[in-house]
Amino acid sequence: MTTATEPAQRIAALREQIREHNYRYHVLDDPSVSDAAYDALMRELRALEEARPELRTPDSPTQRVGAPPASHFAKVRHPQSMLSLGNAFDEADLYAWHERVLKILGADAQLAYVVEPKIDGLAVALTYRDGRFVQGATRGDGEVGEDVTANLRSVATVPLVLRERKDDYSASENQNSSTPIANLQLPTSLEVRGEVYMRIADFDALNERLAAANERIAANPRNAAAGSLRQKDPTVTAGRPLRFFAYAVGPFAGVTLRSQWETLNYLKTLGFPVNRDARRFTDFAEVIAYCAGWMTRRDSLEFEADGIVIKIDDFGQQAELGVVGRDPRWAIAYKFPAREAITRLLNIVVNVGRTGVVTPNAELEPVQLSGVVVRNASLHNEDYITQRDIRIGDRVIVKRSGDVIPYVIGPVVNQRNGNEQPYTFPTHCPACDTPLERVDGEAAWRCPNFGICPAQLVRRVEHFVSKGAMDIVGLGEKQVELFVTKGLIKDVADLYALRAEDFSELEGFGAKKISNLLDAIEQSKQRPLDRLIVGLGIRYVGSVAAQALANHFGDLDKLMAAGQAEIEVIEGLGPSVATSIVDFFQHESNRDVVAKLRAAGVNMSGGAPRARHSDQLEGQTFVLTGTLPNLTREQAAELIRSHGGKVTDSVTKKTNYVVAGASAGSKLAKAQTLDIPILDEAALLELAKPDQAPNDRPSASSTPQASDQDQGTGQLTFDLG
Ligand code: IVH
């Protein structure tokens, strides 16, 4: 090796290695070196190119960003139209599409289908000549797009040089591939089509960064991707977490491609990321089943998808089917129910919660969103409104997904007419006029008038009487508000001092109703300790934590006397719960309430040994999510515990089962990623059922135990046989 060729060879070798690492990382999702080792290679390459600028070439991995800011984007005419897709909204639409396909190709046509998630980003076309990336364009109107080559070069998952096939890749990586990879050669020219997008996590992080820098934040990952790709300065684009997925080819030469599946595999060998959830089927029933699975698993994707695309695999059949307007007959998009809608923000009102947190809420012009009419949506906090510049009167995007309550994403700025009013957050509590406080580092404003503010009190009483707490049936928001305004209730313990006379002025309260309500209040005194702990409304203490506390202390006095250290070591609890509990009982007003509850005869002890029906679920850990058809969450938890199981709040590798009901969200998605078995209500009941045949069951287990009713689980005592 002569000294003159040595750097050139080293540079070539480094580029080759870096490309291969990119391929392993972005395409195979299987990196073989650490980030540090990769960075070292890049550093070495940069240093060599710095020393020998004449060896620097535009396709070097160091040259992703370089072009000066553009004044405008040149127009690019697509050599072949970039099509759009027809939509299907239910299975009937899918079958109808399939019928149309069969009608053209003949009922006995041999069909294969490729099914891929429909990524919600923006379509681009990348042109490669002799293996090098030469041009990138947006879709535009499908005929003419914009030249964003310099910006696309900065997207790490867009290869600058096509990868020549090494023999490390085989069709076996695509388990259900029946199409061998025929093409090992590089194309002389090739247009690759795909989607530029942003992962949800990257989008959230980007928005945080933009908000911190006082810059406008994007409404959703798609807008963020589009905005980032259309930056005039490529260095700005380079700083955005954009990614690229390939899903099709445009015109190509020097290679033979016969089907969509073959194309996806070929694109992969060339170094393009393709969707790992793409599948090929030969049976339409399997297509339907795969799609049905995605309708509930949508939240497990790391990017936003707005549906599933189904394509006829064979290119010959595609050509025969042709295109109507912009929509090919050979493909269809099965759309997920929309999670976003646009409507008018009529007003912003603030609510005071039971811990004094003041939250802004949007009053909306009613709008239909994934099957329900939405009238109100969360605006989270003051910063959220200012960062997004949300104004009253704005057209706003509202989102509803998984188990989260609907929230406002942001305004549609280009639909403003000038009459929109910026919002000023109140400085005083709307209920008691106390100046609001904001703890440093927290987003929330609070009313510090704890224990006295009537709004907090109403919320606390509502919480105290709710199903998961003391379960006092018959006390609605209206009645509670009235008792509070009339001064009859100053804390939750005052409920137990209510008398029949106090109801006399209440509309709709006849003698029967009054006596039922007083009975319900009386009966609630016997609730188990954990329900009382829930009822106190301590921050971060929900039913799972309350159960752990009741089991550990067995007595409210002991819990009140406990220190931080003693609480935080209890399994499933942590420092923030412990701090919150200690804090709660430091307030004299809270200790007074407990004393009053005790004096009224409310049960303050027990808890630990619950009625145990069987050991059927011994050693099994469950997480509950979504709404079950019959059982409340508390009842389901109670059922699991009464058969020896444990209920926790978050899904981890240690979780044995996730019980999911309607509108289950991220917990369900997480369970799916971790391959944790998912049960519906019926499956849970089945699992908990003792092994013996019902008739053999010892009579004791079907005789309700004395404590059953007190625990509000009478209806669950398990006569399912
Ligand atoms: S195929 C028939 N496949 O959806 C050719 N498109 O509504 C059309 N998209 O403009 C493209 N993921 O931006 C295809 N796996 C996928 C896709 C996909 C997202 C977008 C693309 C296209 C739009 C059509």
Side-chain angles (χ1 to χ4, degrees):
M1 232 182 272
T2 71
T3 42
T5 59
E6 208 183 299
Q9 284 176 348
R10 181 64 190 154
I11 284 174
L14 281 168
R15 288 177 185 165
E16 179 63 26
Q17 275 182 50
I18 289 167
R19 281 177 197 132
E20 205 52 27
H21 288 316
N22 284 344
Y23 168 72
R24 295 201 63 102
Y25 187 85
H26 292 302
V27 181
L28 300 185
D29 218 350
D30 180 25
S32 58
V33 292
S34 66
D35 289 359
Y38 178 87
D39 292 343
L41 295 174
M42 280 295 272
R43 266 199 311 277
E44 187 187 347
L45 178 60
R46 265 203 199 93
L48 286 173
E49 289 179 345
E50 208 112 297
R52 300 286 301 275
E54 77 279 10
L55 295 178
R56 198 175 268 157
T57 55
D59 60 21
S60 170
T62 60
Q63 302 303 300
R64 283 202 171 264
V65 203
S71 59
H72 73 289
F73 298 116
K75 298 273 181 253
V76 176
R77 179 162 287 278
H78 298 299
Q80 187 180 301
S81 306
M82 290 186 76
L83 298 175
S84 148
L85 288 169
N87 291 328
F89 295 100
D90 52 29
E91 290 185 1
D93 291 347
L94 287 183
Y95 283 114
W97 168 75
H98 195 234
E99 283 306 311
R100 292 195 294 276
V101 167
L102 289 178
K103 207 164 157 199
I104 296 173
L105 297 181
D108 51 1
Q110 285 285 321
L111 290 179
Y113 316 83
V114 175
V115 186
E116 312 158 19
K118 185 168 184 296
I119 312 135
D120 205 3
L122 64 151
V124 294
L126 312 175
T127 310
Y128 289 80
R129 282 209 195 91
D130 297 321
R132 290 190 158 42
F133 176 51
V134 293
Q135 188 180 69
T138 60
R139 175 179 185 276
D141 62 3
E143 301 301 328
V144 176
E146 286 177 323
D147 184 337
V148 287
T149 312
N151 289 345
L152 280 167
R153 287 179 61 89
S154 77
V155 176
T157 44
V158 168
L160 297 179
V161 175
L162 296 182
R163 179 176 170 276
E164 292 187 57
R165 187 178 190 275
K166 313 280 179 307
D167 272 326
D168 58 2
Y169 179 78
S170 73
S172 66
E173 282 175 40
N174 292 279
Q175 317 90 358
N176 58 358
S177 161
S178 63
T179 316
I181 301 165
N183 291 291
L184 309 179
Q185 74 270 42
L186 279 183
T188 47
S189 78
L190 170 71
E191 186 188 296
V192 177
R193 294 178 172 184
E195 199 87 348
V196 168
Y197 70 103
M198 219 177 258
R199 287 187 178 175
I200 296 166
D202 290 337
F203 161 74
D204 290 339
L206 171 65
N207 261 358
E208 255 174 55
R209 210 174 82 202
L210 293 175
N214 259 325
E215 284 182 54
R216 179 176 273 294
I217 52 194
N220 52 38
R222 176 169 28 89
N223 291 4
S228 299
L229 190 62
R230 296 191 74 261
Q231 291 289 326
K232 295 285 156 66
D233 181 355
T235 55
V236 176
T237 306
R240 300 288 173 82
L242 291 176
R243 287 168 183 268
F244 174 75
F245 260 134
Y247 55 66
V249 289
F252 57 87
V255 66
T256 316
L257 293 170
R258 283 159 302 200
S259 72
Q260 172 68 7
W261 190 248
E262 188 185 17
T263 300
L264 290 181
N265 285 316
Y266 179 59
L267 288 171
K268 210 169 153 179
T269 67
L270 293 180
F272 293 95
V274 303
N275 201 296
R276 79 177 82 152
D277 293 307
R279 295 284 183 278
R280 180 179 185 273
F281 298 103
T282 49
D283 181 350
F284 195 62
E286 288 184 62
V287 171
I288 298 275
Y290 190 61
C291 289
W294 278 110
M295 291 292 140
T296 55
R297 273 203 328 246
R298 160 188 204 183
D299 288 311
S300 68
L301 291 169
E302 53 199 4
F303 47 81
E304 291 277 5
D306 57 347
I308 302 288
V309 188
I310 302 155
K311 301 173 185 170
I312 298 294
D313 190 28
D314 184 81
F315 284 171
Q317 288 173 333
Q318 287 189 2
E320 217 176 308
L321 288 161
V323 177
V324 238
R326 293 230 149 262
D327 303 343
R329 281 202 198 83
W330 46 267
I332 191 153
Y334 185 14
K335 298 293 285 263
F336 292 137
R339 297 203 284 199
E340 290 182 15
I342 293 177
T343 187
R344 191 158 317 276
L345 174 61
L346 301 174
N347 198 10
I348 297 177
V349 292
V350 293
N351 287 334
V352 185
R354 72 185 145 84
T355 57
V357 173
V358 179
T359 45
N361 279 290
E363 290 182 354
L364 305 168
E365 215 161 73
V367 63
Q368 193 78 31
L369 195 49
S370 49
V372 303
V373 177
V374 174
R375 294 190 163 79
N376 297 288
S378 173
L379 283 162
H380 301 299
N381 55 54
E382 182 189 20
D383 291 350
Y384 190 87
I385 299 172
T386 30
Q387 281 161 4
R388 285 160 184 78
D389 186 22
I390 297 169
R391 305 180 188 178
I392 295 171
D394 262 335
R395 303 270 298 158
V396 290
I397 306 170
V398 186
K399 179 161 181 164
R400 173 174 179 265
S401 63
D403 49 7
V404 299
I405 59 166
Y407 60 97
V408 173
I409 294 189
V412 186
V413 176
N414 61 15
Q415 287 190 21
R416 282 187 176 153
N417 61 17
N419 294 333
E420 298 76 14
Q421 294 300 317
Y423 175 71
T424 332
F425 206 83
T427 53
H428 290 69
C429 174
C432 68
D433 211 33
T434 306
L436 299 180
E437 287 176 1
R438 187 170 165 174
V439 180
D440 266 355
E442 276 185 27
W445 285 97
R446 276 169 191 280
C447 166
N449 193 13
F450 190 76
I452 297 157
C453 169
Q456 290 183 43
L457 185 53
V458 170
R459 295 282 105 78
R460 279 218 304 286
V461 175
E462 276 170 10
H463 175 75
F464 187 81
V465 305
S466 69
K467 233 181 168 127
M470 300 301 265
D471 194 14
I472 301 175
V473 186
L475 261 189
E477 185 178 342
K478 270 224 180 78
Q479 290 88 45
V480 174
E481 252 168 34
L482 201 81
F483 288 138
V484 169
T485 11
K486 287 181 71 186
L488 285 168
I489 293 185
K490 297 205 172 58
D491 59 48
V492 295
D494 285 338
L495 280 171
Y496 295 99
L498 288 175
R499 262 162 259 284
E501 309 84 271
D502 300 330
F503 296 85
S504 55
E505 285 170 43
L506 279 181
E507 226 174 279
F509 266 78
K512 180 83 186 130
K513 214 166 170 186
I514 296 172
S515 94
N516 283 350
L517 183 54
L518 289 174
D519 274 355
I521 293 174
E522 186 59 29
Q523 272 175 30
S524 75
K525 291 179 181 173
Q526 304 310 321
R527 298 277 177 260
L529 177 57
D530 62 296
R531 302 275 288 272
L532 174 63
I533 296 174
V534 171
L536 291 176
I538 308 168
R539 228 176 148 198
Y540 307 133
V541 178
S543 65
V544 174
Q547 178 80 57
L549 291 164
N551 286 347
H552 183 89
F553 292 102
D555 189 303
L556 194 59
D557 275 335
K558 290 196 185 129
L559 171 61
M560 278 210 293
Q564 169 90 16
E566 193 184 347
I567 303 172
E568 70 180 41
V569 297
I570 301 174
E571 201 190 323
L573 307 186
S576 42
V577 190
T579 312
S580 162
I581 294 168
V582 172
D583 213 50
F584 183 88
F585 289 117
Q586 251 157 26
H587 282 275
E588 201 179 324
S589 59
N590 290 332
R591 288 203 308 274
D592 287 349
V593 169
V594 173
K596 272 169 81 177
L597 288 168
R598 186 192 315 280
V602 173
N603 170 51
M604 304 251 152
S605 63
R610 330 264 318 172
R612 185 72 172 249
H613 298 297
S614 82
D615 295 334
Q616 196 62 24
L617 306 178
E618 182 71 51
Q620 309 286 328
T621 303
F622 292 75
V623 172
L624 302 167
T625 177
T627 313
L628 300 177
N630 301 301
L631 302 179
T632 65
R633 212 175 266 217
E634 283 69 31
Q635 288 170 332
E638 183 65 41
L639 174 107
I640 291 165
R641 290 188 200 109
S642 73
H643 289 271
K646 220 167 84 176
V647 181
T648 62
D649 269 333
S650 50
V651 179
T652 70
K653 276 184 274 176
K654 289 193 191 142
T655 309
N656 297 94
Y657 297 98
V658 168
V659 182
S663 321
S666 58
K667 289 182 189 178
L668 175 60
K670 178 125 188 241
Q672 277 152 346
T673 358
L674 293 177
D675 263 336
I676 293 168
I678 292 152
L679 308 176
D680 59 10
E681 183 183 283
L684 169 65
L685 293 171
E686 188 58 36
L687 189 71
K689 205 162 161 181
D691 288 332
Q692 311 97 300
N695 294 340
D696 300 336
R697 223 182 286 162
S699 60
S701 72
S702 47
T703 311
Q705 290 162 17
S707 61
D708 271 348
Q709 245 191 339
D710 304 343
Q711 301 194 352
T713 58
Q715 71 273 42
L716 294 176
T717 23
F718 248 147
D719 277 314
L720 300 160

